[in-house]
Amino acid sequence: MIKAKKSLGQNFLVDNNIIDKIINSADVYNKNILEIGPGTGNLTLKILEKKPKSLILIEKDYILSNNLRERFKHFKNIKVFNEDILKFDIEKNLKKNTVIIGNLPYNISSQILVKLIKFKKWLPHYEKLVLMFQKEVADKIIAKSESKEFGRISVITSSRLRITDSFQVSPNSFRPIPKIISKVLVLEPFLNDSFKAKDINNLEKITHLFFSMKRKMVNKAFKNLFKDYEKISSILKISLKSRPNELSNIDYFNITKMYEDNKT
Ligand code: SAH
């Protein structure tokens, strides 16, 4: 028996219905697949049964990665990296038309998603993400303006990804059984015409600034960003009295563009 390591967010999926649902959303046959955190290989085995063109596994746990290498050595076109996904150069190692799958380690799931969104080249080489999050995090990712879940991660995600499907997963589908509900999101990259800023890092910076003062009026953030903040807010048609979660995704895209244009 493998003892799950809490520090690595190890909750292994054991529910075959959910595993099948994930695999079906990913559309594996003849695709290049990258799996993040394959763990004991429960998803991996089903991926391989669907005959992908190639498979890359990235697992931080040394013992688990060795087990996977041994267990699946008779498959062709499989590569196991014993690496930390946050340090791994995903963009460089990705083949065209890749589908990225992962029952993510929850402590770093948002960071992983942001890393996938901040690729230098856009559109990226992946065509789809099928990722499991803690429900609370997934709900923030898909949140709409005006809701209380709306925040940085919702805005950043909406600049480059479309959510095409989602489904909830009960704690009983995992071993060990976690305390929280989970949710799978299917996301697809697209070219968002309303996001005109040059550098996605600036969107990260701007949303960080606004949402770190979540209950304050945006007045303060505007003052912090622009000398002519009153003029700029009126050009952007944003009331300085609004709260950060009352602005729309597009408002944040426009603020970011304005910030880039006004930077000297
Ligand atoms: N996919 C498996 C395991 C999911 S648990 C299943 O569904 O059964 C999350 C997995 O991510 C664990 O195997 C854990 O060791 C791995 N992991 C944790 N942090 C990681 C990191 N920084 N980089 C890569 N893998 C990581």
Side-chain angles (χ1 to χ4, degrees):
M1 256 305 265
I2 301 278
K3 193 169 179 317
K5 296 193 185 79
K6 230 181 174 168
S7 63
L8 286 176
Q10 293 179 350
N11 290 97
F12 303 112
L13 246 183
V14 293
D15 180 335
N16 279 322
N17 286 329
I18 297 296
I19 293 175
D20 286 344
K21 231 169 144 175
I22 291 175
I23 302 291
N24 289 336
S25 309
D27 204 3
V28 169
Y29 176 72
N30 213 20
K31 291 273 166 63
N32 299 304
I33 308 288
L34 182 141
E35 190 188 353
I36 301 170
T40 49
N42 301 352
L43 272 165
T44 319
L45 179 67
K46 295 288 180 109
I47 293 172
L48 286 165
E49 282 173 8
K50 294 276 183 184
K51 300 195 186 323
K53 194 188 271 176
S54 70
L55 176 61
I56 293 178
L57 306 176
I58 301 159
E59 173 54 60
K60 188 175 176 184
D61 187 314
Y62 176 73
I63 296 172
L64 292 184
S65 66
N66 271 349
N67 290 352
L68 291 163
R69 213 172 272 132
E70 183 58 30
R71 178 172 171 197
F72 297 124
K73 66 181 174 204
H74 51 285
F75 282 95
K76 269 182 272 165
N77 295 327
I78 181 168
K79 250 192 197 164
V80 184
F81 292 90
N82 174 217
E83 296 218 30
D84 180 340
I85 188 69
L86 295 178
K87 297 191 183 132
F88 186 77
D89 191 341
I90 310 174
E91 195 165 4
K92 200 183 96 192
N93 283 284
L94 219 53
K95 297 189 176 107
K96 276 196 179 143
N97 307 321
T98 293
V99 177
I100 300 182
I101 303 178
N103 168 16
L104 300 180
Y106 289 164
N107 50 340
I108 54 168
S109 63
S110 310
Q111 274 168 280
I112 296 172
L113 181 65
V114 169
K115 179 166 178 165
L116 292 168
I117 295 172
K118 281 172 53 175
F119 272 26
K120 291 200 186 69
K121 186 177 163 304
W122 204 264
L123 297 164
H125 277 179
Y126 63 81
E127 60 176 46
K128 202 190 262 191
L129 307 172
V130 185
L131 303 176
M132 175 104 70
F133 298 88
Q134 174 175 350
K135 178 180 180 293
E136 202 183 301
V137 173
D139 288 342
K140 282 187 185 155
I141 293 168
I142 62 184
K144 298 273 185 285
S145 166
E146 307 270 353
S147 69
K148 76 173 193 310
E149 289 85 7
F150 185 66
R152 280 185 80 188
I153 191 81
S154 341
V155 178
I156 293 170
T157 304
S158 76
S159 73
R160 287 187 153 182
L161 298 176
R162 226 182 238 134
I163 290 106
T164 56
D165 197 9
S166 70
F167 52 90
Q168 216 160 284
V169 182
S170 136
N172 296 318
S173 301
F174 302 87
R175 291 296 179 275
I177 299 177
K179 289 197 179 69
I180 41 100
I181 298 173
S182 299
K183 201 169 196 175
V184 171
L185 298 182
V186 181
L187 308 116
E188 292 179 10
F190 76 116
L191 280 172
N192 189 338
D193 291 335
S194 51
F195 182 57
K196 296 193 178 69
K198 284 197 194 74
D199 185 352
I200 182 111
N201 289 298
N202 287 327
L203 181 64
E204 217 187 2
K205 189 171 162 177
I206 299 287
T207 50
H208 179 72
L209 174 70
F210 279 71
F211 285 99
S212 64
M213 304 184 264
K214 217 176 156 172
R215 310 203 189 284
K216 301 252 163 58
M217 293 188 287
V218 298
N219 184 27
K220 213 172 154 195
F222 262 94
K223 248 187 196 166
N224 193 309
L225 277 179
F226 305 108
K227 224 168 50 214
D228 292 332
Y229 68 97
E230 281 170 319
K231 190 173 135 210
I232 287 181
S233 71
S234 88
I235 297 172
L236 296 177
K237 300 195 171 63
I238 297 170
S239 158
L240 289 171
K241 289 191 178 141
S242 26
R243 315 276 158 178
N245 77 331
E246 293 169 336
L247 305 196
S248 68
N249 292 312
I250 294 179
D251 288 334
Y252 284 105
F253 303 162
N254 292 341
I255 295 169
T256 306
K257 177 79 169 69
M258 196 59 106
Y259 168 77
E260 287 184 347
D261 293 348
N262 279 265
K263 232 170 35 167
T264 41

